[in-house]
């Protein structure tokens, strides 16, 4: 075994899977090449992303989200639940609250416990923003005309930032996600690319398929579920200030959107998958 071998821990939230690397001792992050290799499902471990845990002066740890393509996401709701489970289950304690620093700020997380440690996490995701540097300059909470997909110039979407950018298409057929997602991810109005939500409004909640920036189709997306619920509240298709079901291919999340969009709440399950050792990553 290499002397620079490093333990990794794999977790999943509704099938959205992540590799957790605990680098709080060294404080050294991985690079894009390492992220791409680790996430490769044939040549590496296989995952939608890598969660690098680094030291933090304001939280229990700082979480950096590396997408499968090597890019960095500001925030990831499913990933944060995975990070919380790792941090709590390896702490030897059962706190009622744990704060984690992310690219979207320090977020307050409330673990829920089962027979195998943390089983679900309730997260205060912070505000949903309708005006932000990573959103189109003309998007202010009203649907705007979309452009870059040939034959679909009339698409209307809501631009929502949950720290990371989202383009939410209400009443767009779910099966369009794989066809339209790649072009919409690169919508020219979004300076850092965008996640794209295809949403069906149901009588008792939402059904959502997400094309994730840097990953493609995934089983679930926590920030995407929050953005979709926010858009549905803006369109008066979901009630504000109540918990709503958001169904994704991997299962259900529950989202609460306050009428002032000040603190979106997300609640969902999380599970440990396996652990192992990977050699010769940078920074060890």
């Amino acid at each position: 075994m290499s002397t620079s071998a490093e333990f990794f821990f794999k977790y999943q939230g509704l099938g959205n899977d992540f590799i957790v690397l605990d680098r709080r001792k060294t404080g050294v992050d991985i690079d894009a090449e390492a992220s791409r290799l680790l996430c490769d499902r044939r040549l590496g471990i296989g995952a939608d992303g890598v969660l690098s845990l680094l030291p933090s002066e304001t939280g229990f740890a700082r979480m950096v989200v590396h997408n499968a393509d090597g890019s960095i996401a500001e925030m990831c709701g499913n990933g944060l639940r995975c990070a919380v489970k790792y941090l709590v289950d390896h702490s030897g304690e059962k706190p009622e609250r744990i704060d984690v620093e992310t690219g979207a700020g320090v977020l307050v997380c409330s673990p829920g416990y089962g027979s195998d440690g943390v089983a679900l996490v309730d997260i205060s995701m912070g505000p949903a923003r309708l005006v932000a540097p990573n959103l189109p300059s003309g998007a202010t909470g009203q649907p705007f005309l979309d452009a870059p997909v040939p034959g679909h110039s009339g698409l209307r979407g809501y631009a929502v930032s949950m720290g990371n950018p989202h383009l939410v298409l209400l009443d767009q057929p779910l099966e369009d996600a794989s066809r339209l997602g790649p072009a919409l991810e690169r919508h020219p109005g979004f300076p850092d690319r965008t996640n794209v939500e295809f949403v069906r409004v149901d009588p008792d909640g939402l059904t959502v398929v997400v094309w994730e920036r840097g990953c493609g189709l995934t089983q679930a997306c926590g920030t995407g579920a929050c953005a979709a619920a926010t858009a549905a509240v803006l369109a008066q298709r979901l009630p504000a200030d109540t918990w709503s079901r958001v169904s994704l291919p991997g299962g259900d999340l529950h989202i609460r959107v306050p009428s002032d969009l000040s603190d979106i709440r997300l609640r969902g399950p999380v599970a440990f998958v396996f652990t192992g050792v990977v050699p010769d990553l940078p920074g060890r």
Side-chain angles (χ1 to χ4, degrees):
M1 183 184 298
S2 168
T3 57
S4 60
E6 177 175 1
F7 280 97
F8 71 85
F9 302 83
K10 187 168 178 180
Y11 292 83
Q12 59 88 12
L14 299 181
N16 195 192
D17 56 341
F18 299 91
I19 298 160
V20 174
L21 299 177
D22 190 343
R23 295 195 149 201
R24 287 176 291 171
K25 289 184 178 179
T26 67
V28 179
D29 202 355
I30 63 170
D31 59 18
E33 181 181 359
S35 177
R36 288 190 290 267
L37 177 60
L38 290 170
C39 292
D40 192 300
R41 296 190 184 275
R42 293 185 181 274
L43 303 177
I45 300 165
D48 291 325
V50 178
L51 308 176
S52 186
L53 300 180
L54 302 173
S56 172
E57 295 182 356
T58 54
F60 201 85
R62 178 166 68 94
M63 179 185 76
V64 179
V65 182
H66 297 264
N67 291 323
D69 70 349
S71 61
I72 292 180
E74 300 90 338
M75 173 52 190
C76 177
N78 287 326
L80 181 54
R81 296 203 312 281
C82 292
V84 167
K85 179 170 175 59
Y86 170 82
L87 290 167
V88 173
D89 286 353
H90 287 79
S91 72
E93 301 178 356
K94 289 188 174 182
E96 295 183 359
R97 164 179 169 167
I98 180 171
D99 297 354
V100 179
E101 182 182 353
T102 74
V106 177
L107 299 183
V108 177
C109 309
S110 300
Y113 296 96
S115 58
D116 189 30
V118 175
L120 60 87
V121 183
D122 187 322
I123 305 173
S124 293
M125 296 284 286
R129 294 183 172 89
L130 308 179
V131 178
N134 57 12
L135 298 182
S137 58
T140 58
Q142 297 297 320
F144 63 95
L145 286 176
D146 206 30
V149 182
H152 291 81
S153 60
L155 289 174
R156 296 177 67 81
Y158 286 83
V160 179
S161 175
M162 291 301 306
N164 57 349
H166 295 268
L167 172 61
V168 183
L169 305 174
L170 297 178
D171 302 316
Q172 189 68 31
L174 305 181
E175 58 269 21
D176 284 350
S178 60
R179 183 167 58 91
L180 302 183
L184 292 173
E185 177 186 348
R186 291 165 173 80
H187 185 291
F190 291 85
D192 302 321
R193 297 184 294 158
T194 187
N195 303 280
V196 189
E197 284 72 43
F198 296 77
V199 183
R200 184 181 74 214
V201 181
D202 303 323
D204 61 340
L206 304 177
T207 300
V208 180
V209 174
V210 183
W211 180 272
E212 286 201 50
R213 177 186 57 170
C215 297
L217 293 176
T218 58
Q219 288 294 293
C221 176
T223 57
C226 293
T230 297
V233 167
L234 290 172
Q236 299 183 335
R237 305 286 297 278
L238 272 186
D241 301 305
T242 61
W243 287 96
S244 297
R245 170 193 57 78
V246 178
S247 294
L248 300 124
D252 292 352
L253 295 172
H254 290 86
I255 310 296
R256 184 179 184 275
V257 180
S259 55
D260 63 359
L261 310 185
S262 60
D263 186 17
I264 312 300
R265 295 281 298 280
L266 177 153
R267 182 184 298 153
V270 62
F272 169 72
V273 183
F274 62 84
T275 187
V277 175
V278 61
D280 301 324
L281 287 179
R284 303 303 293 180

